[in-house]
């Protein structure tokens, strides 16, 4: 298991770890529902901790934002690695990664945070490297098995996850069941044999990085 968010940090007591996890989960939900200006005292209340506990772990809003994003990516990496170790079917591993991203509210979270953080922060760069690596491994295994249509790249996967898990305006964060439903339809469309010819070409990580420069 990798350690994106806690590298070089002192070891926490079990109760402190639980509090930290609750704060990060509550902050993720609050930011998705209410945006980056979600009140920190409301996040503390949602997490079931006092304001002092929240600030002890995360002294300011920007630090909390960073660690929410690192935590979400770490969860996705860890679950994908576990799925690869436990699951013989490469397409089921791919499906697990996609559906896990929906449960972590990636579509609603990442656009909110992306413009608020230093993209050159070493912790953020390392989390992106790990996420890219595991996604490419999952995609490569699914391609090699012959189950994933060959005209789909890792960039296509990430773009689709982001769009299909993006909350609709006025839905207060949207329905997780609806996002999972649409992602399952998307996953069914990724399977071979391909039933149509896709316009354009497969998108890869390099394409996304070029567009963000």
């Amino acid at each position: 298991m990798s350690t994106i968010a806690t590298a070089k940090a002192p070891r926490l007591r079990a109760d402190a770890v639980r509090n930290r996890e609750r704060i990060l989960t509550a902050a993720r939900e609050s930011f998705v529902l209410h945006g980056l200006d979600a009140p920190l005292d409301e996040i503390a209340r949602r997490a079931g901790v006092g304001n002092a506990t929240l600030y002890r772990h995360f002294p300011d809003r920007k630090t909390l934002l960073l660690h929410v994003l690192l935590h979400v990516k770490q969860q996705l990496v860890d679950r994908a690695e576990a799925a690869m170790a436990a699951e013989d079917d490469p397409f089921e591993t791919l499906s697990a990664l996609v559906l896990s991203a929906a449960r972590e509210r990636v579509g609603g979270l990442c656009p909110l945070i992306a413009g608020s953080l230093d993209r050159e922060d070493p912790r953020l760069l390392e989390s992106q490297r790990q996420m890219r690596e595991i996604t490419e491994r999952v995609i490569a295994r699914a391609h090699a098995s012959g189950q994933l249509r060959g005209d789909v790249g890792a960039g296509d996967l990430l773009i689709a996850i982001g769009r299909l898990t993006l909350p609709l305006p006025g839905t207060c964060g949207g329905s997780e069941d609806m996002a999972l439903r649409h992602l399952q339809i998307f996953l069914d469309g990724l399977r071979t044999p391909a039933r149509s010819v896709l316009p354009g070409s497969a998108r890869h990580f390099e394409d996304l990085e070029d567009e963000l420069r």
Side-chain angles (χ1 to χ4, degrees):
M1 182 182 297
S2 46
T3 53
I4 292 172
T6 58
K8 300 183 180 179
R11 185 179 296 276
L12 299 174
R13 299 191 318 270
D15 59 335
V17 170
R18 288 192 295 271
N19 284 340
R20 187 178 187 280
E21 293 280 333
R22 286 198 291 264
I23 293 168
L24 290 170
T25 299
R28 182 198 67 194
E29 291 300 303
S30 293
F31 291 143
V32 169
L33 292 173
H34 306 298
L36 297 185
D37 294 327
L40 296 187
D41 57 351
E42 173 59 22
I43 291 174
R45 186 199 64 77
R46 181 187 284 264
V49 302
N51 287 359
T53 298
L54 186 151
Y55 284 110
R56 186 160 58 248
H57 286 279
F58 308 105
D60 53 52
R61 183 179 298 273
K62 188 172 183 179
T63 301
L64 179 58
L65 288 172
L66 171 63
H67 283 275
V68 167
L69 186 57
L70 295 177
H71 179 68
V72 165
K73 289 190 175 185
Q74 185 70 69
Q75 292 286 95
L76 296 179
V77 169
D78 290 346
R79 289 172 189 163
E81 288 178 343
M84 289 181 71
E87 179 58 66
D88 292 332
D89 187 325
F91 198 90
E92 290 304 315
T93 300
L94 173 65
S95 297
L97 174 61
V98 170
L99 298 177
S100 180
R103 295 186 176 97
E104 289 294 328
R105 315 282 243 156
V106 167
L109 180 65
C110 290
L112 292 174
I113 291 181
S116 305
L117 299 175
D118 176 9
R119 289 170 54 188
E120 299 305 313
D121 186 300
R123 294 164 295 180
L124 195 56
L125 291 175
E126 175 61 12
S127 76
Q128 291 168 342
R129 184 195 67 76
Q130 291 187 25
M131 192 69 223
R132 171 175 176 162
E133 180 182 281
I134 195 68
T135 304
E136 289 179 334
R137 286 170 58 199
V138 169
I139 288 277
R141 289 176 77 242
H143 275 144
S145 74
Q147 296 172 287
L148 175 64
R149 52 190 297 169
D151 54 356
V152 171
D156 296 309
L157 189 72
L158 293 186
I159 291 171
I161 291 171
R163 287 179 172 174
L164 292 174
T165 59
L166 185 66
L168 295 175
T171 60
C172 296
S175 165
E176 180 178 297
D177 286 345
M178 185 62 69
L180 294 176
R181 175 183 174 86
H182 290 164
L183 283 171
Q184 189 60 58
I185 295 170
F186 165 68
L187 287 167
D188 289 346
L190 293 181
R191 287 186 181 272
T192 54
R195 291 169 173 79
S196 62
V197 176
L198 297 179
S201 57
R203 307 297 295 279
H204 303 284
F205 277 110
E206 293 79 3
D207 300 317
L208 302 185
E209 290 169 351
D210 288 343
E211 291 174 3
L212 291 173
R213 287 193 182 100

